[in-house]
Amino acid sequence: TRTERLRLAKGWTQPQLAEFLGVRQATISRLENGQAESGPVSRLLDLLESQTSLPPPAAPSPVPAPERAA
């Protein structure tokens, strides 16, 4: 997720990002597990993202083609 990529790009732990954003660590965990960003947290993440060079999201691993029976 964007939250996790930002956190890792900064070299921060979940508690460190939570402190920066003024939320609980559990909130960071939920965001990293797919909960939608909202309100002030989203705007703070936008600001942090604008100040951080983020690597592009990882591409999904290619799925190998099934082997054909001979």
Side-chain angles (χ1 to χ4, degrees):
T1 64
R2 175 173 86 142
T3 303
E4 185 174 21
R5 288 186 299 119
L6 270 170
R7 179 177 64 78
L8 294 175
K10 293 300 253 181
W12 291 349
T13 63
Q14 285 186 351
Q16 288 171 320
L17 180 57
E19 183 177 338
F20 175 81
L21 295 175
V23 298
R24 296 179 315 150
Q25 182 272 328
T27 300
I28 301 303
S29 179
R30 285 192 302 271
L31 289 170
E32 289 187 4
N33 284 302
Q35 178 178 321
E37 299 169 7
S38 64
V41 170
S42 182
R43 289 190 295 278
L44 285 170
L45 288 170
D46 289 342
L47 178 62
L48 186 60
E49 185 175 37
S50 72
Q51 299 173 353
T52 305
S53 294
L54 276 182
S61 300
V63 177
E67 293 186 27
R68 296 181 186 203

